[in-house]
Amino acid sequence: MSPADAITPILDLPDAAVAIRLRGIANRFGPVVIHEHLDLDILRGETIGIVGGSGTGKSVLMRSIIGLRPPSEGEVRVLGHDVWSSDPAERKALDSRWGVMFQDGALFSNLTVRENVLIPLREHTNLPPGLSLEIADLKIQMAGLPLSSAGKLPAELSGGMRKRAALARAIALDPDILFLDEPTAGLDPITAGRFDALVNELKETLGLTIFLITHDLDTLRDACDRVAALADGKVAAIGPLDHLREHATGWLADYFGGPRGRAALG
């Protein structure tokens, strides 16, 4: 089944076809319910865009998947492994199979670009220092940065270059899955478009599955195979962008039907 054919939240496909499987996910902060009975399958090799209004827990969901915040209830399986029931060794191995680009990059401000990219290589591999440096420089260039930027601190880079530096760190280990949280936020349209094209290129080159949180309608159009809309604590709608636009109701109808939506999607 191709991503374009998958238009329901639960696909019931074998683990070999699914990169991320969420079942019965709940996330609560005291009396505040963010997610309740959330189910979702993300196919291997697809780019899925995650959208939702303010407070729908897009970043919270990502953090539950990558092991930063346990869900209140439910099962998170990534590449066939239960994230929250794995033993420490299995969990460390699993951590090395995904890369994460957080909002605003989350680079270490006192480290150079190269030193930031070296962090996952030093944490998860025993490669000789010289080889690690070669890989770090390769990833910097793959992320679209000139090698002359490798010795610069994040404060010496433009916003778009910091995003690319964070992307270089996220792909340092040749991950199976790439998590991108608002990767084009704050970028001008031209830079954002180039970033989308870079993400598409890396997906094909590295065979990535991409979990992409965004409000950018151009990114949904240009980079995503499917879109999952969060509302009322669960996945309210999922499918290719055209399918969601055609069947949009409530917040999603406003999202696609507003002036920016009409301008971006035609």
Side-chain angles (χ1 to χ4, degrees), residues 3-196:
D5 296 324
I7 60 174
T8 56
I10 303 176
L11 305 179
D12 290 326
L13 295 174
D15 280 346
V18 177
I20 301 169
R21 174 162 290 169
L22 308 178
R23 290 293 182 271
I25 298 300
N27 275 302
R28 308 184 190 98
F29 295 87
V32 179
V33 177
I34 306 298
H35 304 126
E36 194 77 31
H37 307 303
L38 185 151
D39 299 314
L40 177 64
D41 282 352
I42 298 171
L43 305 179
R44 294 188 188 233
E46 77 170 327
T47 298
I48 190 162
I50 307 297
V51 301
S54 178
T56 54
K58 300 177 290 296
S59 295
V60 171
L61 184 63
M62 185 187 82
R63 289 174 176 273
S64 290
I65 297 171
I66 63 175
L68 293 182
R69 183 188 186 279
S72 304
E73 294 176 10
E75 182 182 46
V76 178
R77 297 189 67 83
V78 177
L79 301 171
H81 300 272
D82 189 319
V83 170
W84 292 101
S85 296
S86 300
D87 61 49
E90 183 182 12
R91 175 61 186 280
K92 184 175 182 180
L94 190 58
D95 285 347
S96 70
R97 298 184 67 185
W98 62 57
V100 184
M101 178 182 162
F102 294 99
Q103 288 188 40
D104 302 318
L107 296 168
F108 291 99
S109 60
N110 61 332
L111 300 181
T112 66
V113 171
R114 182 183 286 117
E115 288 168 338
N116 268 279
V117 178
L118 280 169
I119 289 173
L121 290 165
R122 289 171 173 166
E123 181 179 354
H124 291 283
T125 76
N126 294 311
L127 294 172
L131 181 56
S132 293
L133 285 171
E134 289 182 20
I135 293 173
D137 285 350
L138 173 63
K139 300 304 180 179
I140 289 168
Q141 293 176 88
M142 288 179 68
L145 286 172
L147 199 53
S148 58
S149 66
K152 294 183 178 181
L153 296 171
E156 300 175 285
L157 305 177
S158 68
M161 293 178 75
R162 284 195 296 272
K163 300 267 190 183
R164 289 173 183 264
L167 181 61
R169 184 177 62 186
I171 62 172
L173 296 173
D174 289 335
D176 296 284
I177 304 174
L178 183 61
F179 293 87
L180 305 175
D181 194 351
E182 298 284 4
T184 58
L187 300 181
D188 66 83
I190 294 174
T191 303
R194 290 172 178 166
F195 195 92
D196 290 340

